Amino acid sequence: MSEDLAADTIRKLADVVASNTLPEHVVELLRVALSQAETAKAAGHDQEALTIASQALQTAESPTADQ
């Protein structure tokens, strides 16, 4: 397993956004979160990036996200 959990989680979020399996309004929210996570990661704030990306993934996986 990779040592960079933040980067791995951001990649997973990017994959979910690219998959196009969620409603457009959810995808838009995930895109914003992805951008924020990438910005935090680039600034060296790995924990913040991980938190943002993880919360967005939870939103995407929630049973209400596909409504």
Side-chain angles (χ1 to χ4, degrees), residues 6-61:
D8 289 346
T9 306
I10 289 170
R11 275 192 291 279
K12 287 178 190 171
L13 179 56
D15 289 346
V16 169
V17 169
S19 72
N20 245 354
T21 58
L22 295 169
E24 186 60 29
H25 69 280
V26 175
V27 172
E28 286 300 319
L29 291 172
L30 296 178
R31 282 187 187 125
V32 170
L34 178 59
S35 175
Q36 291 174 337
E38 290 171 334
T39 300
K41 176 73 174 148
H45 302 284
D46 285 14
Q47 186 58 48
E48 182 180 357
L50 178 59
T51 299
I52 293 167
S54 295
Q55 288 176 344
L57 283 172
Q58 285 179 330
T59 298
E61 293 169 355

